[in-house]
Amino acid sequence: MLGCGLVQKHVRTAMENSSFTLILGGQSLPIDFHGLGLVEEGMQDGLPGGAFSFHFSWRQYKFRGDYREADGLAALTLQSDLCPMPFTAESPQARVDLEAVVRAANKALGAVLRIERGRIVLHHPLAVTLPLTAVGLITPLAAFLIRLSPYLDCLGLVMAPPLSQPRGVSLLRPAYRRSRQPA
């Protein structure tokens, strides 16, 4: 199940913009959005439509979900900056292995991982059914994360997950670091 995470929901209306924060950790699904006051009186069953974003961490990776609803269609885009791509001078074998993981994940899951500006990033749209409910939002997200998990494990063999190390510490696993040759 998803780990503890901070969800920031931004509801945009014609009258005003508002936001609030919700901690998901420890609550079982479906989340009672009515009981939490996230759904206004008189609304249809389901969550408010429009657009909102949320953040969560899972398996020591940070993720962001962007939900958009327009013209009777709903879309959820999942994004994550998974890890840096090491320089060839730092570890040529790590680059080869990470590129192989990206290729394998994209072959199995579609074009979900990219190497952009020296980083491996996730960008994946998910289908969401309307009316929007907690179960309808979390189910496709959790199903995708389960399918993604073996590729996160493979990335983790080369680069430590970002949330597992203090900021500024190299994520490159020691087995992939080049040993310094004496001069």
Side-chain angles (χ1 to χ4, degrees):
M1 196 62 57
L2 298 177
C4 293
L6 179 66
V7 175
Q8 290 185 328
K9 179 165 178 12
H10 302 283
V11 179
R12 291 178 175 81
T13 64
M15 308 256 311
E16 65 180 285
N17 289 335
S18 62
S19 67
F20 51 89
T21 302
L22 164 70
I23 303 297
L24 283 178
Q27 295 188 26
S28 58
L29 296 176
I31 299 168
D32 181 7
F33 283 88
H34 289 278
L36 292 172
L38 303 182
V39 179
E40 298 173 12
E41 290 295 318
M43 291 186 70
Q44 307 287 358
D45 284 343
L47 301 175
F52 60 87
S53 297
F54 57 95
H55 303 264
F56 64 95
S57 61
W58 183 65
R59 299 183 72 180
Q60 299 183 328
Y61 291 93
K62 289 190 243 181
F63 294 89
R64 173 188 169 116
D66 292 311
Y67 176 83
R68 301 285 178 261
E69 192 175 305
D71 301 325
L73 299 174
L76 173 64
T77 303
L78 183 63
Q79 300 175 56
S80 181
D81 181 352
L82 297 173
C83 66
M85 181 64 102
F87 295 108
T88 302
E90 186 179 11
S91 178
Q93 188 60 50
R95 287 185 68 87
V96 168
D97 291 352
L98 289 171
E99 288 169 349
V101 173
V102 169
R103 279 192 310 276
N106 288 342
K107 182 177 180 182
L109 304 174
V112 299
L113 298 182
R114 297 188 295 232
I115 300 172
E116 292 181 354
R117 296 185 303 265
R119 304 201 64 82
I120 297 176
V121 297
L122 167 79
H123 182 87
H124 183 60
L126 296 162
V128 178
T129 58
L130 291 175
L132 180 61
T133 63
V135 172
L137 182 66
I138 298 299
T139 300
L141 178 62
F144 174 73
L145 289 174
I146 289 167
R147 292 177 35 230
L148 178 68
S149 65
Y151 303 100
L152 293 179
D153 291 343
C154 290
L155 290 176
L157 293 173
V158 181
M159 302 292 286
L163 299 179
S164 69
Q165 300 293 324
R167 202 162 175 78
V169 173
S170 174
L171 299 178
L172 185 62
R173 296 288 187 186
Y176 281 93
R177 293 187 186 139
R178 280 190 160 182
S179 59
R180 297 195 176 175
Q181 302 296 327

